[in-house]
Amino acid sequence: MAKEAEVRLPRPTRVKNKTPAPIQITAEQILREARERQEADIRPPKQKITDATELSDYRLRRRKEFEDLIRRVRRNISVWIKYAQWEESQKDFNRARSVWERALEVDYRNHTLWLKYAEVEMMNKFINNARNVWDRAVTLLPRVDQLWYKYIHMEEMLGNVAGARQIFERWMSWMPDQQGWLSYIKFELRYNEIERARQIFERFVECHPKVAAWIRYAKFEMKNGEAARSRNVYERAVEKLADDEEAEQLFVAFAEFEERCKDSERARCIYKFALDHISEGRAEDLYRKFVAFEKQYGDAIVGKRSFQYEDEVRKNPLNYDSWFDYIRLEENVGKKDRIREVYERANSNVPPAEEKRYWQRYIYLWINYALYEELDAEDVERTRDVYRGCLKLIPHEKFSFAKLWLLAAQFEIRQLNLKAARQILGNAIGKAPKDKIFKKYIEIELQLGNIDRGRKLYDKYLEWAPENCYAWSKYAELEGSLCETERARAMFELAIAQPALDMPELLWKAYIDFEISEGEFERTRELYERLLDRTKHLKVWISYAKFEVSAMEEDAKGSDLAEDDLQEHHHEQKKQCIQHARRVFEKAINYYRTSAPELKEERAMLLEEWLNMESSFGELGDISLVQAKLPKKLKKRRQMVSEDGPAGYEEYIDYMFPEETQTTNLKILEAAYKWKKQKISDED
């Protein structure tokens, strides 16, 4: 019997041919075909109702459909909702209520039903019916906060404040979460019922004896100007929650409250009491607050920390980080004489070696000193003396700090002393010229409208750094903005004539863009030709060709040609521009074929760019011009060689152009001919 019960499965057939099919079918293709073969959805025809008889027939038919659907899926609440909303759309509110009530008999625990039901009654202004629905909902589902919020919101919108308060009281008897109590308090505060809110807070902290609740209560009292009541709340909270896990927050809030009340002794006692009662692992924030408090109001901790810092700087006076920490401590205390003394002692520790890396940290002591005198002490003369002393100390013949020169000049500008600022920047250029100083000085003069001063500064800038392309292009840009076209052009010519430039490609691009913006297309062509004499880079060829495509001289503007003639003129002009671009591409391809045959990848990229451009011309384009020149991509392998010898093979992409293919074919035929000739001679 056991053998008869066994189910014998057919033997799996072995796959004989495991090679991939010649035509691969993707999942995307299968889905697309399924979508294409899918039949169109069958939709019922639109029906227009013209008289009462048809309307009653329509309603009867729809009701029968809904009732049949309900009998099949009685537990599906969405069907009940659609049925009730349809009855509402027919303005038959009694039937709609009947549907809602039947739905609630099926599942009265679904609060969405109650919400929808009540919202329908409210939208149609059946206020008493809505009250009845809300009242039943909160009675049956008192733990759903959304029902209470909606019920209260409706009463408040109707102006029934007493009714809303009564609903809140019913809700609070169920002891909801903190948000419910806070909503009740905010409700009372909206109507300026301070005493009622205070009573609710008392019930709130009894229901939820948490640290956050007590702190809210105390802040409420403080906000209403009741400092004594607020202190009483904090004291009661400490009595009840001194051993709570969140007691640290309570003590911090209590101490900060006493600080705001200007009672530092009480705050200190609270901090000390808290540190005695809370373990170290849970009192990190408390200890940090206590340290900050003592720095501000006490001398005990400050004196101890000062002693530690004094010991550190005595052992290693060149440890500038210790000086920074020491100064920060004294600044928190706020005694000006003491702060200045520490700054002077720190600044007297000059690095022993005249190397910039040793001075980089030290120089910030002077900068912080100057900022302190200007912003905190508000002493202008002392700030000026600090900047002078620092600039005098630095060995500018070996290295300098552009930041310090600029800060000193900007300080004088803030004091409206432009002459002193110019003197500082002039000294900087004379003693230690740097890019930052030139740029900022020029920017200041141009903002003040001093064009001649800006030109002189640019001249000095270029005397100091004639290879700086940024300076040349900005100088020319300045002349161009002043409509001094010839001066700007002369600047560019001087720039490209320099024997050495740091970024010549940016300079040439700026010169070309300048000529294009001036509408000088012939000059631009000359520039491109001059640039190609210097470099045959791929980007230059592509940029030249794109320029020729876009260089359409607008001769027809303002002419008396008719609209048809104007269009024909534009058409001819565009064809001419395309011919110019093709000549550039032909010239580039000829160069890569004859003079640089090793740059196969650049030649292939150039042909691809030409093909894309011909495609973008539309009817005027001719793709066949390029397709005959396109290469074949070949995947090849070559041996990698390291210091230890051969290290395997790597794959790379090679390109074979049409003329190379012909040469290869000729070589193969020649070799075959030699082989046949040799074979015949051997047979003889």
Side-chain angles (χ1 to χ4, degrees), residues 39-53:
E39 295 181 359
D41 295 338
I42 300 171
R43 295 182 180 178
K46 291 185 179 179
Q47 184 179 5
K48 290 186 179 180
I49 298 171
T50 56
D51 57 8
T53 306

Side-chain angles (χ1 to χ4, degrees), residues 147-159:
L147 297 173
W148 292 103
Y149 284 127
K150 292 277 188 180
Y151 192 6
I152 292 162
H153 181 67
M154 184 190 79
E155 295 293 357
E156 196 172 356
M157 290 296 102
L158 293 169

Side-chain angles (χ1 to χ4, degrees), residues 522-669:
E522 285 302 324
R523 287 181 178 273
T524 309
R525 287 190 186 95
E526 291 175 10
L527 274 178
Y528 270 116
E529 293 295 338
R530 289 165 63 189
L531 180 56
L532 287 170
D533 290 339
R534 297 193 178 197
T535 176
K536 297 290 195 298
H537 197 275
L538 173 67
K539 289 184 178 179
V540 178
W541 290 110
I542 293 173
S543 177
Y544 191 6
K546 286 182 177 178
F547 157 72
E548 290 292 1
V549 172
S550 61
M552 296 179 64
E553 300 178 17
E554 301 179 359
D555 297 332
K557 277 194 174 180
S559 62
D560 298 331
L561 294 172
E563 187 175 351
D564 295 339
D565 296 337
L566 191 63
Q567 287 182 356
E568 187 177 353
H569 178 77
H570 277 302
H571 186 73
E572 290 297 326
Q573 198 175 33
K574 193 169 184 181
K575 285 174 66 176
Q576 189 177 359
C577 290
I578 291 169
Q579 290 299 329
H580 285 312
R582 283 174 182 158
R583 275 200 293 272
V584 173
F585 277 119
E586 289 284 358
K587 189 176 177 182
I589 295 299
N590 187 40
Y591 162 75
Y592 280 116
R593 185 173 58 247
T594 58
S595 302
E598 71 279 0
L599 301 177
K600 292 185 175 183
E601 189 173 358
E602 284 79 356
R603 184 178 169 189
M605 290 170 68
L606 189 69
L607 285 166
E608 188 177 349
E609 189 70 31
W610 189 3
L611 183 64
N612 293 336
M613 199 171 286
E614 290 288 350
S615 303
S616 66
F617 293 153
E619 296 178 356
L620 297 176
D622 188 359
I623 299 174
S624 61
L625 289 174
V626 192
Q627 284 177 336
K629 298 178 173 63
L630 289 174
K632 291 182 180 179
K633 282 187 179 180
L634 303 174
K635 189 180 286 187
K636 294 185 177 180
R637 296 175 69 197
R638 61 187 169 200
Q639 192 174 26
M640 294 188 296
V641 180
S642 63
E643 295 177 358
D644 301 330
Y649 292 87
E650 65 173 350
E651 289 187 349
Y652 70 99
I653 300 296
D654 195 11
Y655 298 90
M656 181 172 284
F657 291 91
E659 67 272 12
E660 293 176 341
T661 308
Q662 293 171 5
T663 308
T664 306
N665 291 338
L666 287 173
K667 286 181 179 178
I668 291 170
L669 288 171

Side-chain angles (χ1 to χ4, degrees), residues 185-224:
I185 291 163
K186 288 177 184 176
F187 166 79
E188 296 293 357
L189 292 176
R190 279 200 294 275
Y191 299 99
N192 205 23
E193 294 285 350
I194 306 298
E195 192 57 41
R196 284 181 181 274
R198 185 175 288 120
Q199 293 172 6
I200 297 165
F201 259 121
E202 288 289 344
R203 293 160 59 193
F204 173 35
V205 295
E206 286 179 12
C207 181
H208 295 282
K210 301 286 185 184
V211 168
W214 284 99
I215 291 173
R216 278 182 178 274
Y217 188 9
K219 286 182 177 178
F220 159 77
E221 294 290 4
M222 192 62 187
K223 189 176 179 181
N224 290 293

